[in-house]
Amino acid sequence: MNTLAQPWADGGPGPWILFFPLVWAVVVVSAVTLLRRTVWRGRRAPWHVRPAAAENSPTAVLGRRFAAGDIDEDEYWHRMSVLEEHFGTGGKHGTP
């Protein structure tokens, strides 16, 4: 009976035996790449801020209110300092 594992000149299965691990490596890498680009893409770390959430963050709302003229500069900086103490964001005037 002829099999694929015929000895290569009576010295073993031959160099083609490396083909099967190579095929499995390609399958595994392709599967991981596919999952990373589709299923796992939406799952981020909890501290990752999504763009929609960033638009409704307290600092963004405060900035919009200041830009619209609803609050003055002193009230803006007072509220911003309270937010920085509570959320631990960057320093005054946008410095981290």
Side-chain angles (χ1 to χ4, degrees), residues 6-80:
Q6 289 287 334
W8 180 265
D10 295 325
W16 63 267
I17 196 75
L18 298 175
F19 179 72
F20 290 111
L22 182 64
V23 168
W24 280 110
V26 168
V27 168
V28 169
V29 168
S30 299
V32 169
T33 302
L34 180 68
L35 288 172
R36 287 187 73 201
R37 291 180 178 260
T38 57
V39 177
W40 294 339
R41 183 178 212 118
R43 296 183 185 173
R44 301 276 191 233
W47 56 86
H48 179 75
V49 178
R50 295 177 184 226
E55 294 174 2
N56 296 324
S57 70
T59 54
V61 171
L62 186 61
R64 283 195 300 272
R65 288 189 62 202
F66 178 63
D70 295 339
I71 57 175
D72 63 351
E73 184 178 2
D74 292 331
E75 186 175 354
Y76 171 80
W77 286 118
H78 172 72
R79 291 182 182 210
M80 185 60 80

